[in-house]
Amino acid sequence: MTQESIVPGELDDPAVRVTEVPEPGAVTIVVPTFNESANIRELLHQITESVPSRLPCEVVFVDDSTDDTPEVIYEAAKDCPFPVTVLHRDEPAGGLGGAVVEGMKAAGSDWIVVMDGDCQHPPSLVPELVATGERANAGLVVASRYIKGGSRAGLAGSYRVAVSRAATWLTKSLFPRRLHGISDPMSGFFAIRRSAVTADVLQPLGYKILLELAVRSRPRGVTEVPFVFQDRFAGESKSSAQEGFRFLRHLVGLRTASPVARMVGFGLIGATGFVPNLFGLWALTALGMHYVPAEILANQLGVAWNFVLIEHLLFRDRRRHRQWWDRVGRFALLANADLVLRIPLIALFVHRFDMSALSATALALVTTFVLRFVGTEALVYLPRGGRGGLESGRTARRAV
């Protein structure tokens, strides 16, 4: 990742900068960009017109572009009365959400405002977001389209409006407590205190970083400010079906973050494994294979099915701890050990504790399931490291 900072000289009238600041502190505006070169000059112009006269600020662009966006930022920033930093990522890990986290790590202010680079989020609202947070002593201030005074007018077409409504309903249904007080969890425009962000617990995937922050960092004190979603100044929306699938994967990852939720998900995925297992058993016996070796082979289809789903839905964030082949081998060993362990357990329950065969089988299934889940967590997907603040990921600045 490369970084350049553009630090302006003194303004012609320093009083404009320092005498009309009604809000305490300063703000870092984090702008993730992907091929937004046509919007950069207008965005920096709007920020210049509305922010530095009321609030000391800096702007951090985190750029994943394949066009000339970094060069355009560099040239446009020369006329700005505030520092502008460009972080260009060669590998855009985590998508837009990952870019925002990188920008937060590079922030030098107590308040961080996240906004898009297409001018749909009005920079004139930045001072109000910070001032509202200070007055309410809040850790998170969300610019909402869904409270009085807000509007989603800039959403292009009924399809995007319907998708936005559905996504909002789904997220609030899945996280009623974590998103309490947030009417617009899909908003990409918000202010958050640096102290409210725990960078090491964040696992961004796609473009809904507010949802990630609200669920994992759990900022104390949330309030909202209405805003009107503007039309894009130039270019086209980056929303796509692929981003929609990433959003759904992100929701699953967030919802299964707790051990209990992961265990439930583990059980549901395991139940779906009966489908390929039974299909394989039917196909192999139809070809004339004896049912015992056929069941052993068919069980491997269920194991493979379960492994793929668990990898992508439950433990996506932990896959880096072991090589792929190592995870496959350990998972397969645990899954097949389940069969070997179950029969002795049933015999033990029947002969030692005088249980019926049906009750013993049910208890053995539950016991081996819990052991397999615990073993999968501990032996295949090691837990992540400890929590840490943004300071642990700060990036050194270089003035140009």
Side-chain angles (χ1 to χ4, degrees):
M1 182 169 63
T2 58
Q3 171 174 312
E4 291 183 278
S5 298
I6 301 91
V7 180
E10 292 295 323
L11 292 175
D12 293 336
D13 184 4
V16 174
R17 262 194 311 154
V18 297
T19 61
E20 298 181 7
V21 182
E23 299 87 14
V27 63
T28 297
I29 301 173
V30 174
V31 185
T33 52
F34 178 73
N35 296 347
E36 295 286 2
S37 58
N39 292 306
I40 296 302
R41 292 186 181 278
E42 177 63 21
L43 176 63
L44 286 175
H45 171 72
Q46 290 184 20
I47 293 174
T48 300
E49 289 291 308
S50 57
V51 181
S53 62
R54 300 180 59 196
L55 194 64
C57 70
E58 64 172 348
V59 178
V60 176
F61 287 95
V62 187
D63 182 69
D64 297 335
S65 298
T66 56
D67 65 1
D68 62 342
T69 296
E71 290 76 18
V72 173
I73 296 172
Y74 186 82
E75 289 300 318
K78 293 178 179 178
D79 299 324
C80 295
F82 44 78
V84 177
T85 298
V86 183
L87 299 171
H88 180 72
R89 303 195 303 168
D90 296 322
E91 297 183 5
L96 182 147
V100 170
V101 173
E102 290 295 334
M104 288 179 166
K105 291 178 180 179
S109 306
D110 294 334
W111 279 99
I112 301 168
V113 169
V114 176
M115 62 189 305
D116 289 347
D118 54 14
C119 300
Q120 291 189 294
H121 298 155
S124 58
L125 198 62
V126 169
E128 185 177 346
L129 288 170
V130 175
T132 300
E134 290 287 347
R135 286 194 298 267
N137 194 27
L140 174 66
V141 185
V142 178
S144 174
R145 297 164 291 182
Y146 301 126
I147 59 176
K148 184 177 180 180
S151 169
R152 55 176 179 268
L155 279 176
S158 58
Y159 171 75
R160 286 194 65 194
V161 171
V163 169
S164 178
R165 283 178 174 175
T168 299
W169 173 83
L170 180 60
T171 53
K172 288 183 71 65
S173 299
L174 287 174
F175 306 100
R177 287 194 304 164
R178 304 281 179 86
L179 298 180
H180 179 71
I182 301 178
S183 64
D184 193 358
M186 298 293 99
S187 178
F189 190 18
F190 57 90
I192 190 167
R193 294 182 190 267
R194 289 184 71 252
S195 59
V197 181
T198 310
D200 286 356
V201 304
L202 299 177
Q203 301 159 26
L205 177 66
Y207 59 102
K208 296 307 178 187
I209 185 60
L210 173 59
L211 178 63
E212 175 78 13
L213 286 164
V215 172
R216 294 199 197 272
S217 285
R218 307 180 194 179
R220 186 173 61 184
V222 177
T223 187
E224 293 186 313
V225 170
F227 93 104
V228 177
F229 193 65
Q230 308 290 318
D231 293 324
R232 286 182 64 92
F233 179 74
E236 297 180 352
S237 171
K238 306 302 189 299
S239 297
S240 64
Q242 182 180 6
E243 284 297 333
F245 285 122
R246 293 178 79 181
F247 168 66
L248 293 176
R249 283 175 55 200
H250 190 199
L251 280 181
V252 172
L254 287 171
R255 186 61 276 176
T256 57
S258 70
V260 173
R262 277 198 304 276
M263 182 177 289
V264 172
F266 191 86
L268 292 175
I269 290 173
T272 67
F274 284 114
V275 175
N277 191 325
L278 293 175
F279 175 78
L281 180 62
W282 170 81
L284 291 171
T285 53
L287 292 173
M289 183 177 290
H290 190 272
Y291 73 90
V292 173
E295 171 56 29
I296 294 173
L297 292 176
N299 187 64
Q300 307 316 306
L301 288 177
V303 170
W305 171 274
N306 290 344
F307 177 76
V308 170
L309 292 183
I310 285 168
E311 279 267 296
H312 289 85
L313 296 179
L314 291 186
F315 296 106
R316 177 186 63 85
D317 57 301
R318 300 188 186 183
R319 292 181 296 182
R320 67 181 182 276
H321 295 293
R322 292 187 183 276
Q323 296 293 327
W324 178 84
W325 57 267
D326 192 13
R327 300 195 306 273
V328 170
R330 288 168 178 263
F331 185 84
L333 182 63
L334 286 168
N336 285 285
D338 173 65
L339 291 175
V340 176
L341 179 61
R342 198 180 307 155
I343 294 175
L345 273 178
I346 294 172
L348 175 68
F349 294 150
V350 169
H351 297 293
R352 182 69 180 270
F353 300 104
D354 295 324
M355 297 178 64
S356 68
L358 184 60
S359 300
T361 300
L363 182 57
L365 283 170
V366 172
T367 303
T368 56
F369 164 74
V370 173
L371 290 174
R372 185 151 51 94
F373 171 74
V374 172
T376 300
E377 283 237 305
L379 301 178
V380 183
Y381 301 99
L382 297 179
R384 298 192 57 168
R387 298 163 68 95
L390 286 178
E391 289 78 2
S392 62
R394 292 291 300 278
T395 307
R397 293 177 172 273
R398 178 166 62 87
V400 177

